[in-house]
Structure formats: structure tokens, C-alpha cells
Amino acid sequence: EENVVMQRRKWIWYLLLGMNVTLLALLGMQYGKNQRIQGQIAGKVLRFHVLANSDTVEDQNLKLAVRDAVGSQMAELLSDVQDRAACEQVVEAHLPEITETAQAVVREAGYGYEVHAAIEETDFPSKTYGKFTFPAGKYEALRVVIGEGAGHNWWCVMYPNLCFANSMYEVDASSGEKLREVLEPEEYAAVLES
């Protein structure tokens, strides 16, 4: 009888081990799929990232003023852009003006912070814009850093345009349609399901 109990325990242990191995394999497959989809999405979008000097109320308000000024400038410059490559080219060509615009806002507010603007690969957390949630991961972004860039930041999707709609920073139906055109069905479903 003791032998039967040991056999049962052994079978239960094997069963539990098998279930854990299966669960880990399924989780690994899902993680791999999510990473693949994030990488595909990242290749089709350009993000916009503004970092405040610090978390003081004044620096956070300054960040929003810089966001608004650069956002207005970019909305105009990117109004006819039809793909990510063209968007990136326009942004790259106007980096000096983007920096000047942001720097002017900082100076007019009475601060001496330097501003740096560049297109950079940046880690983004999972972020929701309207009904669209973009998975965490590395994305190319227009990154505007004010001073030390040590404060809370602001982000959106510059291409396809989820940043600048009818009223600034509102995702509308046309934004969603453009996103649907740019992404493959599996990618679009992923940003809707997240």
C-alpha cells in the first residue's frame, strides 16, 4: 500500500511538472508573438516624446508649453506626409527649427535650460491613446529633452498622426483610420486588444 501511495505521488508530481512546462512554453510563445508584433508596429510608426527638466510644477508646465509649440509646428509640417519614411525625413530636415522653437519657449518662460531635439530609439512603456494601446518596447521617436530631462515626460504617436487632431492631442476617427491603413490586420488588432 505504501508503494501505491508513492506511485500516486510520483504521477501527481510528473503531472504537475508537465503542466508547468506546458504553461511556460505557452507563455514563452505568447511573449515571442508580442515581441514580434511590437517590433513590426515600431517599424511603421514614429513617436513624439517630450522630457521635462524636473518634476517641479513649473518644469512640468514648461514641458507642456514646449509640447504645444513643437506640436503646432509639426502638425503643419506633417500635414501632407503619407508614410513613416517621409515623416522621418521631414522631422530630420527640421530638427534645427524644432530645437529653436522649443528653446524659444524655454527662454520666453525665463529659464536657461538647453533643449536637445533628435530622432532616437527610445524605450516606451505600454501607452494608450484613445482606444489604441501601443505595446511597450523600443520605438523611433522625435525626442525633445528640456534641460536635464529628469522629469516626467509626455508621449504620443507622431506617425500615423495620433498627436494632432481636430483639437490638439485628441485621437479622432480619422486618426484611427490612418492607423488601420498603416498596420497589418494582426498589428491593428493588437493595438485595439491591449
Side-chain angles (χ1 to χ4, degrees), residues 113-186:
Y113 307 139
E114 290 300 315
V115 175
H116 173 74
I119 295 178
E120 300 175 355
E121 186 174 77
T122 304
D123 281 317
F124 280 81
S126 177
K127 191 74 177 144
T128 300
Y129 309 97
K131 64 181 182 178
F132 306 106
T133 300
F134 282 74
K138 293 191 179 299
Y139 292 85
E140 288 290 315
L142 166 59
R143 199 161 189 244
V144 179
V145 180
I146 304 165
E148 298 296 316
H152 279 89
N153 49 72
W154 180 89
W155 8 47
C156 76
V157 178
M158 184 172 278
Y159 182 84
N161 177 12
L162 298 183
C163 291
F164 327 113
N166 297 331
S167 66
M168 285 293 261
Y169 316 114
E170 174 187 295
V171 178
D172 64 6
S174 67
S175 301
E177 272 310 305
K178 184 63 177 174
L179 186 62
R180 182 190 298 269
E181 292 170 17
V182 169
L183 300 179
E184 295 297 321
E186 180 184 39

Side-chain angles (χ1 to χ4, degrees), residues 47-93:
R47 309 281 295 259
F48 182 27
H49 191 202
V50 183
L51 288 87
N53 178 64
S54 75
D55 282 334
T56 66
V57 171
E58 296 80 11
D59 282 351
Q60 288 297 307
N61 287 335
L62 182 61
K63 169 194 72 181
L64 297 176
V66 167
R67 171 202 70 182
D68 291 347
V70 172
S72 293
Q73 181 182 26
M74 297 316 301
E76 196 172 306
L77 290 171
L78 299 174
S79 62
D80 295 328
V81 166
Q82 296 300 314
D83 59 41
R84 179 194 156 167
C87 179
E88 202 165 327
Q89 287 172 348
V90 168
V91 171
E92 191 76 46

